[in-house]
């Protein structure tokens, strides 16, 4: 799914559950880590959420520095797709561990 967001839009919040991976297509993002330091140049947000079916928490707060176009990869849909494609799942090293 492709989304256009205005400057200041929060994409991910540090410490909160991550339900998707975001890929920057156009614009600029900034991230803030646990050290409180702002970093520009973030292009992929919460990629680790797609590694397996375990619950994932965002490590950074990420927001749009400018108007931005983002591709959103929904974790649940990605996991469902991986369950049906053994070769791709193996290539990515994806595991189907179930949360708790």
């Amino acid at each position: 799914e492709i989304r256009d967001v205005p400057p200041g839009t929060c994409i991910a919040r540090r410490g909160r559950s991550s339900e998707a991976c975001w890929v920057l297509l156009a614009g600029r993002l900034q991230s803030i880590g646990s050290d409180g330091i702002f970093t520009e140049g973030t292009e992929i947000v919460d990629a680790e959420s797609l590694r397996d079916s375990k619950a994932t928490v965002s490590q950074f707060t990420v927001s749009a520095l400018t108007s931005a176009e983002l591709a959103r990869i929904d974790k649940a849909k990605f996991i469902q797709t991986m369950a049906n494609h053994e070769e791709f799942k193996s290539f990515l090293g994806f595991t189907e561990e179930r949360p708790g």
Side-chain angles (χ1 to χ4, degrees), residues 18-23 44-57 71-82 88-89 92-97:
S18 171
E19 301 299 325
C21 170
W22 298 85
V23 179
I44 300 175
V45 179
D46 289 341
E48 61 278 356
S49 70
L50 302 181
R51 290 199 178 129
D52 57 40
S53 58
K54 292 179 184 177
T56 308
V57 173
R72 182 182 188 276
I73 304 168
D74 181 80
K75 178 177 182 146
K77 289 179 183 177
F78 185 81
I79 290 169
Q80 183 179 17
T81 300
M82 287 298 98
F88 194 47
K89 183 168 50 174
L92 293 177
F94 179 82
T95 61
E96 289 185 72
E97 297 177 21

Side-chain angles (χ1 to χ4, degrees), residues 20-95:
C21 170
W22 298 85
V23 179
L24 180 66
L25 303 175
R28 292 187 342 200
L29 301 177
Q30 68 178 2
S31 62
I32 306 167
S34 59
D35 54 9
I37 296 175
F38 286 83
T39 305
E40 287 186 43
T42 301
E43 294 185 1
I44 300 175
V45 179
D46 289 341
E48 61 278 356
S49 70
L50 302 181
R51 290 199 178 129
D52 57 40
S53 58
K54 292 179 184 177
T56 308
V57 173
S58 294
Q59 299 300 307
F60 299 91
T61 294
V62 180
S63 60
L65 191 59
T66 64
S67 294
E69 181 179 28
L70 300 158
R72 182 182 188 276
I73 304 168
D74 181 80
K75 178 177 182 146
K77 289 179 183 177
F78 185 81
I79 290 169
Q80 183 179 17
T81 300
M82 287 298 98
N84 297 320
H85 297 282
E86 290 298 323
E87 187 174 334
F88 194 47
K89 183 168 50 174
S90 176
F91 174 76
L92 293 177
F94 179 82
T95 61

